[in-house]
């Protein structure tokens, strides 16, 4: 080619490429993909659209069961769908909890647990789930102090006097527990370790049996939830020595705290908490957390809980995770120090 022709060729303008319209079928495919991607968000906005099952992994009528039923009733009314309680006891609460962890993570199956779940994390060596990684805490429904109660005939009027009596006669003081590896058992173990006392443990099968043993004289004292102790304290069939809360209980304004009697860092509570399995969509987690938090501000409900000696601290989702972690650490240390093992 002659070099003089090169500029002419370079000066030729490119022909603009025609933009072809997107084929109709392609537009339909993209539209369907958009709708499918949006469906989960629509479902979460409409949550709940059907019945929500709340597993209580303990027998009906225990401490957690009635509290959860109250919350479920309020949620059913406020959200327009039924929140139904299913009691699924077994293995200290592990059976029902494991079933929720294994189930669908869609917000339609939740689990309510007591402080036992924090104890079980260490007490059971082969737990079929990890409390902190397999569950998301939604709300602390209620927490209540535990109480040291003694035989009225026992010649002590405070925990300090109880310790002095135990040290005076090692092995002479007997205390009851409502089972093995339960909350009152671990509180008593911490008490023994803190005071360096030698006392005899007598395990029973449940709260009622332990009260019977106390009034019959089989044991000298035990630790029990303040609400369970109330009728016995009022009837003067047991003697209250101390509560384990940070401040005195409104139920028992004359009963001092453990810390008032010189036992520092002895704040230990029974509690009821609602969990969702990890993987539950975050918008549903947040909706449940916010709805329960609003429900717990109702004056009538707060009075109902207060009459039972319970309170409902307002905790964020992050604070709830920290609360559970700290409880696991607290009871794990007691289990390890006492070499307490599941039967």
């Amino acid at each position: 080619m002659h070099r003089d022709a090169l500029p002419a060729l370079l000066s030729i303008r490119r022909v603009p490429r025609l933009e072809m319209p997107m084929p109709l079928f392609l537009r339909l495919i993209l539209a369907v993909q958009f709708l499918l991607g949006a469906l989960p968000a629509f479902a979460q906005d409409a949550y709940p659209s059907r019945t929500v099952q709340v597993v209580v992994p303990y027998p009906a009528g225990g401490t957690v069961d009635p509290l959860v039923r109250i919350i479920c009733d309020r949620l059913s009314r406020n959200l327009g769908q039924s929140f139904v309680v299913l009691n699924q006891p077994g293995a200290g609460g592990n059976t029902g909890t494991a079933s929720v962890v294994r189930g669908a993570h869609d917000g339609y199956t939740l689990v309510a647990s007591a402080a036992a779940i924090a104890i079980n994390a260490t007490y059971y060596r082969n737990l079929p789930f990890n409390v902190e990684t397999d569950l998301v805490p939604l709300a602390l429904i209620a927490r209540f102090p535990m109480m040291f109660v003694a035989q009225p005939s026992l010649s002590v009027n405070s925990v300090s006097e109880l310790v002095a009596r135990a040290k005076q006669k090692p092995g002479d003081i007997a205390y009851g527990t409502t089972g093995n590896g339960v909350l009152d058992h671990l509180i008593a173990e911490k008490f023994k370790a803190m005071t360096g006392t030698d006392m005899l443990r007598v395990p029973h099968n449940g709260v009622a049996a332990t009260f019977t043993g106390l009034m019959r004289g089989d044991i000298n004292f035990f630790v029990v939830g303040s609400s369970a102790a109330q009728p016995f304290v009022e009837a003067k069939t047991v003697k209250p020595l101390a509560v384990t809360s940070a401040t005195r209980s409104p139920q028992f304004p004359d009963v001092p705290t453990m810390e008032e009697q010189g036992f520092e860092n002895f704040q230990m509570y029974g509690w009821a908490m609602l969990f969702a399995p990890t993987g539950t969509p975050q918008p549903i987690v947040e909706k449940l957390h916010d709805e329960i938090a609003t429900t717990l501000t109702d004056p009538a409900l707060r009075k109902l809980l207060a009459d039972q000696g319970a309170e409902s601290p307002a905790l964020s989702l992050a604070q709830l995770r920290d609360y559970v972690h700290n409880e696991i650490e607290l009871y794990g240390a007691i289990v390890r120090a006492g070499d307490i093992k599941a039967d």
Side-chain angles (χ1 to χ4, degrees), residues 68 311 340 342:
V68 174
E311 61 179 1
I340 303 170

Side-chain angles (χ1 to χ4, degrees), residues 2 5-6 11 42 50 80 223-224 240 254 272 286 300 311 331:
H2 195 278
L6 184 60
S11 66
F42 294 154
R50 53 187 170 86
V223 183
V224 66
D254 297 328
E286 292 174 0
E311 61 179 1
Y331 295 115

Side-chain angles (χ1 to χ4, degrees), residues 3-286:
R3 64 182 180 180
D4 292 339
L6 184 60
L9 288 174
L10 293 175
S11 66
I12 298 174
R13 298 178 62 185
R14 292 179 178 273
V15 177
R17 187 175 60 183
L18 295 177
E19 296 292 337
M20 298 296 292
M22 183 184 295
L24 178 60
F25 77 91
L26 183 56
R27 281 184 286 172
L28 288 174
I29 289 174
L30 291 176
V32 169
Q33 288 178 333
F34 171 79
L35 289 173
L36 289 175
L39 280 177
F42 294 154
Q44 291 160 24
D45 289 342
Y47 176 88
S49 59
R50 53 187 170 86
T51 297
V52 178
Q53 188 175 80
V54 181
V55 173
V56 174
Y58 314 106
T63 303
V64 173
D65 185 77
L67 293 171
V68 174
R69 290 181 186 276
I70 291 170
I71 295 300
C72 284
D73 177 67
R74 297 300 181 94
L75 290 175
S76 298
R77 284 187 276 168
N78 294 347
L79 296 178
Q81 291 290 343
S82 296
F83 281 70
V84 178
V85 173
L86 173 66
N87 295 96
Q88 195 174 344
N94 295 335
T95 302
T97 304
S99 73
V100 172
V101 169
R102 290 193 305 266
H105 301 174
D106 55 5
Y108 288 91
T109 306
L110 312 173
V111 62
S113 184
I117 196 171
I119 297 171
N120 293 353
T122 309
Y123 178 63
Y124 287 91
R125 301 298 192 263
N126 297 305
L127 201 64
F129 54 87
N130 184 297
V131 178
E132 296 192 79
T133 60
D134 290 332
L135 293 167
V136 178
L138 299 172
L140 181 59
I141 297 171
R143 73 175 185 182
F144 49 88
M146 302 295 284
M147 177 181 281
F148 281 71
V149 294
Q151 287 176 302
S153 59
L154 189 66
S155 58
V156 301
N157 294 301
S158 69
V159 174
S160 300
E161 291 180 6
L162 177 64
V163 171
R165 173 75 177 270
K167 288 187 174 181
Q168 185 181 17
K169 295 183 178 181
D172 187 57
I173 294 291
Y175 67 96
T177 62
T178 62
N180 295 321
V182 292
L183 180 59
D184 58 90
H185 177 195
L186 267 65
I187 292 175
E189 288 293 327
K190 179 176 180 176
F191 177 61
K192 285 199 315 180
M194 178 180 284
T195 58
T197 49
D198 177 15
M199 296 181 285
L200 175 66
R201 183 172 85 93
V202 182
H204 294 73
N205 185 19
V207 174
T210 314
F211 268 117
T212 299
L214 181 68
M215 292 184 287
R216 194 168 52 204
D218 299 339
I219 55 177
N220 301 114
F221 80 96
F222 82 110
V223 183
V224 66
S226 59
S227 58
Q230 185 173 7
F232 297 92
V233 172
E234 291 175 347
K236 300 187 185 305
T237 53
V238 301
K239 183 190 298 183
L241 300 180
V243 289
T244 62
S245 46
T247 59
R248 295 193 181 197
S249 169
Q251 276 183 303
F252 309 100
D254 297 328
V255 180
T257 67
M258 289 292 286
E259 295 199 0
E260 284 183 273
Q261 299 185 58
F263 300 92
E264 296 183 359
N265 300 318
F266 211 101
Q267 295 178 28
M268 306 173 84
Y269 297 86
W271 45 261
M273 188 176 290
L274 193 64
F275 294 84
T278 297
T280 300
Q282 189 63 23
I284 291 178
V285 168
E286 292 174 0

